[in-house]
Amino acid sequence: MTKTYANLIDGEMVTSEATIDVLNPATEEVIAKVPACGKDELDRAVDAARAAFKSWRKTTPEERQKVVLSIAAAIKDNADELFRLLTSEQGKPHAQAQQEIYGAAGLAKAQSGLTLDDVVNQDDDTRLSRTRRVPVGVVGGIVPWNFPIMMAIQKIVPALVAGCTIVLKPSPFTPLTTLRIAELIKDVVPKGAVNIITGEDSLGPLITEHPGIDKITFTGSTATGKKIMEGAARDLKRITLELGGNDASIVLPDADVEKVAEQLFWSSFSNAGQVCIAAKRIYIHEDIYDDLSKAIADYAKGVTVGDGSQQGTGVGPIQNRKQFERVCELIQDAKDNGYNFLTGGDTDPSGTGYYVPITILDNPPEDARIVAEEQFGPVMPLMKFSTVDEAIARANASEYGLAGAIWSKDTDAAVEIAEQLETGTVWINEFMHLSPFAPFGGHKQSGFGAEYGIDGLKEFTYPQVITVKRDAVV
Ligand code: NAD
């Protein structure tokens, strides 16, 4: 019989009559069921989080750190079980699922010790004025399906560290590993401080508009981010939005073709390209374009697309049918327009499992849908450029502004280019590296606010200024 996973509400694992089927994207088989929650379950979770907030907000940084470290340990100690479960619901190869699980435990550990110290604004004979940071209250966390555990942890951990409590909703496509973690942390987290409830997309707006929730932290598409901003405006909830991206990589003519080819490949194809910060447009200087595009296409030939639970798989399936069909449609559009493919392009939306072959395009035009839109799949358009100014202008010609990368031996020249890119993060000679201590957030339509580091933590707090008049006559 298919297992039904339970939700974590007020310190208890609870099930519901209505359920959602969860599929393995490699086989399209139903592997488990989870509760399909609505308003009643949400109200209970919010009440529990509000009650827990009264005492959690008064805890010391050391007490919070202890709880967060226990969460990190619970994930790390059960990593083997968790990464296998993650592959079965998300599709990513075991090695990448392992990285996500250990990465989430590492992030929790690293951020457990972050503190927001008081800032003294004035300290003289007339006045002592200081700014302290106070927790905003109950947080609603909404998470996508591409990195379900990393995204859940990067919401739960700073919320707790800041003194908030949280109600978290995983994506209906990938709730299982999060609910297993809920079970594992149930007894190490104070009752009601962390609540995890599952539901269809329709549960999202109920969270955004719930009067008992003070802040929304969301990761997902730009389209949904705009709806969240609208919903949150009703009672001026605080919001942090991590949204889509169409990240550009710029490869300068001095880059070592052989060495860079493999890294560029994985900057686009890890997690089957379903990464907000994947390289989705690659601009290569014309002097090395032919050699580098050949080296990337040659490298691609050695990478296997398949079931992520099988040894040797480098690229797994797309996570869900809707996204699979969207990627197939973009590829079909490129074929219909006669663009040149270096590899891939043959999709079969009627086959079993959401598999898309590694697809590399040779110099499609800038206005091709596959270049201009966020593909979020195993697709890599390579484009030729002549001058650095042209590459910068083309990279910036996007409504998105999440991240980008420059590849060159001349790091000073690369920094100069980086400073002209309109994105929240720019890597030089690496990709997708996020530090627990540096702010991560999008410019333009890639987001609002930031996660990670002190900047990210501050978003779970309000500043409060307390002023003592020292020379007052009272
Ligand atoms: P999505 O926006 O469809 O869904 C994300 C979450 O929002 C899910 O839990 C979903 O149930 C919920 N949701 C759906 N409609 C809602 C509504 N009206 N109100 C509130 N919640 C609602 O996104 P997705 O398809 O799951 O994820 C893919 C997108 O996420 C891509 O665009 C990708 O770039 C982006 N993403 C961004 C980051 C980042 O850090 N910037 C990271 C990962 C993914």
Side-chain angles (χ1 to χ4, degrees), residues 143 145-146 169 201 218-221 224 242-244 276 374 376:
V143 172
W145 44 260
N146 60 340
K169 186 191 93 61
D201 284 355
F218 168 78
T219 301
S221 63
T224 306
E242 296 292 353
L243 308 176
C276 53
E374 182 187 34
F376 224 61

Side-chain angles (χ1 to χ4, degrees), residues 28-106:
E28 297 182 56
E29 283 165 7
V30 175
I31 51 170
K33 291 175 185 293
V34 296
C37 294
K39 187 177 175 308
D40 290 351
E41 293 87 349
L42 175 62
D43 284 345
R44 268 197 282 138
V46 173
D47 286 349
R50 288 232 75 84
F53 179 58
K54 285 188 190 140
S55 48
W56 184 251
R57 69 177 305 167
K58 294 183 188 146
T59 50
T60 63
E62 292 73 25
E63 286 166 326
R64 294 175 196 173
Q65 184 173 33
K66 201 170 152 217
V67 169
V68 171
L69 285 176
S70 304
I71 296 175
I75 296 172
K76 191 161 168 250
D77 294 348
N78 294 279
D80 208 50
E81 174 199 345
L82 293 172
F83 84 71
R84 287 173 203 282
L85 184 59
L86 180 57
T87 293
S88 73
E89 63 173 335
Q90 205 284 334
K92 62 185 67 183
H94 273 164
Q96 292 172 32
Q98 218 166 359
Q99 266 176 18
E100 180 171 349
I101 296 298
Y102 281 111

Side-chain angles (χ1 to χ4, degrees), residues 213-271:
I213 291 180
D214 305 289
K215 177 198 166 69
I216 300 292
T217 171
F218 168 78
T219 301
S221 63
T222 295
T224 306
K226 289 176 185 175
K227 289 183 194 157
I228 286 181
M229 201 162 182
E230 246 180 77
R234 292 182 190 191
D235 50 6
L236 281 184
K237 282 187 179 65
R238 272 40 188 173
I239 50 170
T240 303
L241 305 175
E242 296 292 353
L243 308 176
N246 195 1
D247 297 2
S249 273
I250 299 176
V251 192
L252 299 186
D254 67 348
D256 184 313
V257 165
E258 290 306 322
K259 288 187 184 146
V260 161
E262 179 176 347
Q263 298 188 70
L264 279 173
F265 177 88
W266 288 113
S267 74
S268 287
F269 292 103
S270 49
N271 204 28

